[in-house]
Amino acid sequence: MKFVFVSGNPALDLVGTVESRRHTAVDLLAAPTDLERWVRACEGLPDQVTADAAAFASALQLREAIHQLALARIQNRRFTPACLDIVNRAATGPVPTVELSDAGLRVSGDLRSALAHVARSGIAVLADREACLKECGRPDCTRLYLDRSRGARRTWCGMDACGNRVKAAAYRARRQAAGQGHPPR
C-alpha cells in the first residue's frame, strides 16, 4: 500500500489515510506498523518512530478529530469542543528535532513529537481564514486538501489519481456525445 501526500498539509494528509471508494472506506492505517510507515513517508516528520497500541489509537483519534474540524471549517460550522480538545492536547507534545548537515535535513523524534507536529499543522491551517480548504470534487473521493492554485480553482485533490480520472471521463463523455465512441466489440 502506498501513501499519497497531495493535501498540502500533514494533518490533511493524515486524514487522507482513510480512502473512500464507491461508498466504502479503506483505512490505510490498519495497524501500528502502517502508522510508522506513514510517519516515515511524510515529509517533515521523524524518520524512525515506533507505535504501540495506545499511541496508534491516539493517532487515529487525532486523525478523526482533524477530519471533523476540517469538515466544519469547509461547511462554515462551529468546531466541536471534543475535537478541539483532542487536537489542542496533541499539539502540546514535544517538537521533533531538526538537524542540518552536508547530507541534508534530518528530522528525529518519537511518535508523540510527530503527532504534535501534525496537530500543530492542522491548527495552523484550520485557524487561517484565508486558507482555501476543499474536498475533492471527484465523486468517489473524499480527500480534503489545501487549494493554493491561482484563483483557488482546483477541484480535485491531486492530478495523478483524481485529476486524470476526471479529465479522462470528461474526454470519453465528449467523444461519446460527438458520436465518436468506440464501436461495440
Side-chain angles (χ1 to χ4, degrees), residues 96-114:
T97 302
V98 179
E99 298 174 62
L100 178 64
S101 71
D102 289 332
L105 188 68
R106 181 172 186 276
V107 181
S108 60
D110 60 6
L111 183 60
R112 187 166 175 242
S113 68

Side-chain angles (χ1 to χ4, degrees), residues 3 11 17-18 37 47 58 64 66 98 108 111 137 143 151 153 175:
F3 298 113
T17 60
V18 174
R37 285 182 30 258
D47 52 6
S58 181
E64 295 311 309
I66 293 168
V98 179
S108 60
L111 183 60
R143 185 178 295 277
R153 294 183 302 197
R175 276 189 62 154

